[in-house]
Amino acid sequence: MVTARDVAERAGTSTAVVSYVVNNGPRNVSPATRDRVLLAAAELGYRPNALARALSHGRTSSIGLVVPDIANRFFGELARALEEAAGARGNLLLIGDSGLDLVREKSHIAAFVDRRVDSVVVVSLQDSPDLSALHAAEIPVVALHPVPETIGASTISIDYEAAAYAAVRHLIDHDYETIAVLNGPSESAGAQQHWQGAARAAAESGSVVIEHLHSEFARADAAQLMLDRLARPERPRAIYCSTDEQAYGVLFACHRLGLAVPRDIAVSGFDGTEHSGYSTPPLTTVAQPIQEIADRAIEILASNTSDIPVQEIVPYTLVVRESCGVHAH
């Protein structure tokens, strides 16, 4: 590997001068000497250490992203949108996939601190994530889901509770009187808001019976749970899922049990991934504005130089498709 010392020897100067030329400072170099260094670097194919150059300027032009499961279509679409938004500002997005493992999530956060990223975007496995390592390193962070104010992080997300209310209210308007809420793990991000919104819609109806279920945010886990639950004689007439991935698992379970959707079971998802329009049947879902969230998150990280966290809510869209049934009216 060609080093700065090799360039200095060929140019007949010191490594310090090579550094001044490569980094455009901090000291001036005469035009003739600069030309010799640049010529030597070109002849030797010298590539300076990008991280070292960045650190010398106090920035690495990198942003860390922590997601629960990159195989989940929603997080894949989110990562792509964030990468485009970061790249438009000259930043590299580094992705840490926690694989639904809290220990790995903390490990990724620690690794981003060690690599001195400029900022971090987090989608945590927990409703109250531990971001103390980022705060201690004075690394700005934005969470893309609701977190308690005590966490001290900026947030940008839809209103989970209002969205869950709207989705379940829509199912109730179809005259479905028994509804199951398939939520994520009880301590997962947004789980409380999903349940509160759904329960409020049921309570307002005065007659709807609501059931609370939990699975991992994965179609396989949701499918196994619902294969058991829907095989019982007293099954819910409709199911609201806190993610599209769980909804796909429900659709699989219904298929295996010979239950038609929506004739026997109505299903609603959450996230609005591209795939939701191509399931069988197409999935009713709450769509999050992924690109808007990504653009705004990167903008917040780039512009918020104060220590005061920013909390922003963006609009959601209830996308009605065949899986919830045709309204009777």
Side-chain angles (χ1 to χ4, degrees), residues 124 126-131 145-148 150-151 187-189:
S124 178
Q126 291 188 310
D127 199 42
S128 299
D130 181 6
L131 305 178
H145 53 82
V147 299
T150 54
I151 298 298
E187 298 301 320
S188 61

Side-chain angles (χ1 to χ4, degrees), residues 204-220:
E204 287 181 2
S205 74
S207 61
V208 170
V209 177
I210 192 169
E211 177 183 3
H212 201 185
L213 304 172
H214 296 275
S215 78
E216 295 290 345
F217 296 118
R219 66 182 70 185

Side-chain angles (χ1 to χ4, degrees), residues 176-225:
Y176 301 138
E177 296 184 348
T178 55
I179 300 175
V181 174
L182 180 53
N183 214 336
S186 58
E187 298 301 320
S188 61
Q192 181 179 3
Q193 290 86 355
H194 279 289
W195 174 244
Q196 289 174 340
R200 178 161 59 90
E204 287 181 2
S205 74
S207 61
V208 170
V209 177
I210 192 169
E211 177 183 3
H212 201 185
L213 304 172
H214 296 275
S215 78
E216 295 290 345
F217 296 118
R219 66 182 70 185
D221 197 60
Q224 291 300 319
L225 176 71

Side-chain angles (χ1 to χ4, degrees), residues 31-228:
T33 301
R34 175 180 292 274
D35 289 344
R36 289 206 316 274
V37 169
L38 292 176
L39 178 61
E43 291 175 345
L44 294 173
Y46 174 62
R47 295 178 60 85
N49 186 304
L51 179 59
R53 290 183 62 191
L55 291 178
S56 70
H57 290 84
R59 289 181 56 84
T60 60
S61 297
S62 60
I63 298 173
L65 169 64
V66 180
V67 294
D69 180 11
I70 199 65
N72 182 313
R73 179 70 186 191
F74 173 72
F75 297 121
E77 292 182 12
L78 177 63
R80 181 172 59 192
L82 284 165
E83 185 173 37
E84 291 174 355
R89 292 178 177 268
N91 294 304
L92 176 68
L93 186 73
L94 305 177
I95 301 174
D97 177 11
S98 64
L100 302 176
D101 185 328
L102 185 58
V103 173
R104 191 182 300 177
E105 175 180 300
K106 293 181 179 179
S107 176
H108 284 315
I109 290 175
F112 286 146
V113 171
D114 291 342
R115 283 162 176 74
R116 301 176 71 173
V117 297
D118 296 329
S119 55
V120 171
V121 178
V122 171
V123 183
S124 178
L125 291 167
Q126 291 188 310
D127 199 42
S128 299
D130 181 6
L131 305 178
S132 58
L134 295 173
H135 294 324
E138 299 183 341
I139 296 176
V141 57
V142 169
L144 301 188
H145 53 82
V147 299
E149 291 185 5
T150 54
I151 298 298
S154 292
T155 63
I156 178 168
S157 72
I158 66 171
D159 186 332
Y160 280 43
E161 181 176 342
Y165 173 88
V168 173
R169 182 73 252 178
H170 181 75
L171 294 174
I172 293 172
D173 288 344
H174 283 65
D175 298 324
Y176 301 138
E177 296 184 348
T178 55
I179 300 175
V181 174
L182 180 53
N183 214 336
S186 58
E187 298 301 320
S188 61
Q192 181 179 3
Q193 290 86 355
H194 279 289
W195 174 244
Q196 289 174 340
R200 178 161 59 90
E204 287 181 2
S205 74
S207 61
V208 170
V209 177
I210 192 169
E211 177 183 3
H212 201 185
L213 304 172
H214 296 275
S215 78
E216 295 290 345
F217 296 118
R219 66 182 70 185
D221 197 60
Q224 291 300 319
L225 176 71
M226 299 312 295
L227 281 169
D228 175 69

Side-chain angles (χ1 to χ4, degrees), residues 230-312:
L230 296 180
R232 303 175 193 175
E234 297 297 326
R235 61 175 180 260
R237 182 61 184 83
I239 302 173
Y240 164 74
C241 304
S242 64
T243 65
D244 287 348
E245 283 295 303
Q246 291 167 297
Y248 299 144
V250 173
L251 294 178
F252 174 85
C254 289
H255 172 72
R256 278 299 176 91
L257 294 170
L259 300 172
V261 178
R263 186 192 67 199
D264 300 318
I265 302 287
V267 180
S268 180
F270 194 97
D271 281 335
T273 54
E274 183 181 359
H275 285 185
S276 64
Y278 301 94
S279 59
T280 305
L283 184 66
T284 292
T285 184
V286 172
Q288 301 200 54
I290 295 176
Q291 190 63 60
E292 180 181 346
I293 289 173
D295 291 342
R296 184 59 184 137
I298 299 301
E299 184 179 0
I300 289 172
L301 292 172
S303 62
N304 186 24
T305 57
S306 70
D307 295 329
I308 302 175
V310 175
Q311 280 81 38
E312 295 187 4

